[in-house]
Amino acid sequence: MAGRLSWGLADQAASSATNFVLGVYVARSLGLEAFGVFSLAWVTFGVVLGISRGLATDPLMVRFSGVPEESWRGAVARSSGTALGVGVAVGAVCLALGLAFGGPVGHAFACLGVVLPGLLLQDAWRFSFFAAGAGRKAFVNDLVMGAALVPAMVAAAHVGSVAAFVLAWGASAAVAAGYGRLQSGIRPRPAGARPWIHEQRDLGYRYLVENVGVSGAGQLRAYGLGAIVGVGAVGVVRGAELLLGPFLAILMGLSLVTVAEAARVLRQAPRRLRAFCLLLGGGQAAAALLWGAALLLVPDRLGGFVLGDVWQAASALIVPATLGVAAAGLGTGAAAGLRALAAARRSLRCQLIASTLYVGGGLGGALVAGTVGSAWGVAAATLASSAVWWLELRSALREHHQKPLSEVRTS
């Protein structure tokens, strides 16, 4: 387990380093307003990613982790084909809307539509490798994406537009997606998307709503913050997220493997699942608080060197952003347990409550005290949401001890 968790951390470190460098490069190259436009495209991608994961890779992680290779390969072919199909379908909509809307925002969204298939397929390979316990392959795949991004960003900097950077980001993902096909030896089957979605519908539809609730809440907050305070405020929030990037790399890296590991714990030692989730969530919360404390010691000169004009405003959000991430880390421990238990109805309920609180806290805080108020509102909402996750996990574990797990499949 330690080895698999380590590869999850290494993989997310590579992925987050790529995202961090991209974000910093855009912020320094284009300024606060353009960085806000890029951030709108970024949070929109997050919504589409949630759709893809809910329908394609989340059911794969729950039901095909640690299964015989033949079963895994067949599931991956259909799962990756589903992700690719989502990218093509949603990408076409983004392209059409972006061209119709026009302007910097429209052009950025049009380019996002072009690159969505490659972005989603690359993400699907990562989850597929972790389901097989082959985190090393996911790590190498993200290294390939990072290496491809460097020359792409240099070319985008010469163009000097948000759209160019979106294309550079997507082009590097397409390269890594092609390499993932070679790593796995599996050809995605878009034709298998319909039967895959049908077979996994009891989990997939709930995970779809749950994931869209997460990313959709972020998108609503970003759009609402832009309308209330201005597009630059979206860039400020994204800047604060970049400052927490190294810790978020840990959180996201663990999330790649914790569901699979929790599922293994549930099969091998069900009574230890609660302790596993508590250790996972508590450890992440403590790490977030330590990282936030370190950020408070960063001198303005160094912060300005990294984020340019974005630093001054983003640094004011360090304390509330850190508290929010710590609360989220605590909640992910319970979320992993609910996923392993295949308690999709409970996790969906938790996520809908969390998303509602997030949007309400973020926009309510923005109306009262601008960008800083939004950050504090989100922190309070996330803490309340974490409590909801743990209450639901306690109830789900009580039910599980009375009825054996019947959701895990191997074919």
Side-chain angles (χ1 to χ4, degrees), residues 38-59:
F38 182 83
S39 298
L40 289 176
W42 185 276
V43 297
T44 302
F45 163 70
V47 175
V48 183
L49 184 64
I51 296 172
S52 175
R53 288 180 176 178
L55 294 177
T57 53
D58 283 344

Side-chain angles (χ1 to χ4, degrees), residues 91 122 125 137 261 311 391:
Q122 192 268 340
W125 289 131
K137 291 185 176 181
E261 293 305 327
W311 162 255
L391 289 173

Side-chain angles (χ1 to χ4, degrees), residues 367-397:
L367 288 171
V368 173
T371 308
V372 175
S374 179
W376 278 108
V378 165
T382 308
L383 182 61
S385 302
S386 179
V388 173
W389 281 103
W390 280 99
L391 289 173
E392 287 290 346
L393 177 62
R394 184 179 65 176
S395 299
L397 284 171

Side-chain angles (χ1 to χ4, degrees), residues 160-250:
S161 69
V162 175
F165 277 101
V166 173
L167 289 175
W169 169 41
S172 65
V175 171
Y179 183 64
R181 164 71 174 86
L182 296 177
Q183 287 178 293
S184 65
I186 299 172
R187 184 176 66 182
R189 289 178 50 205
R194 179 172 294 181
W196 172 262
I197 292 172
H198 179 74
E199 292 168 9
Q200 311 300 329
R201 64 189 182 280
D202 57 329
L203 294 182
Y205 290 146
R206 290 193 176 103
Y207 289 158
L208 167 65
V209 177
E210 183 178 331
N211 291 349
V212 171
V214 177
S215 51
Q219 188 178 30
L220 287 174
R221 181 205 179 188
Y223 288 171
L225 190 60
I228 296 169
V229 184
V231 176
V234 182
V236 172
V237 171
R238 177 61 184 154
E241 292 174 353
L242 287 175
L243 293 175
L244 288 161
F247 171 74
L248 291 175
I250 296 175

Side-chain angles (χ1 to χ4, degrees), residues 21-41 104-105 107-108 152-169 231-232 235 242 306-310:
V21 170
L22 176 62
V24 167
Y25 207 76
V26 174
R28 289 181 58 85
S29 300
L30 303 181
L32 184 57
E33 291 296 320
F35 186 54
V37 174
F38 182 83
S39 298
L40 289 176
V105 175
H107 294 159
M153 284 195 306
V154 173
H158 284 294
V159 178
S161 69
V162 175
F165 277 101
V166 173
L167 289 175
W169 169 41
V231 176
L242 287 175
V306 174
L307 289 181
D309 295 339
V310 179

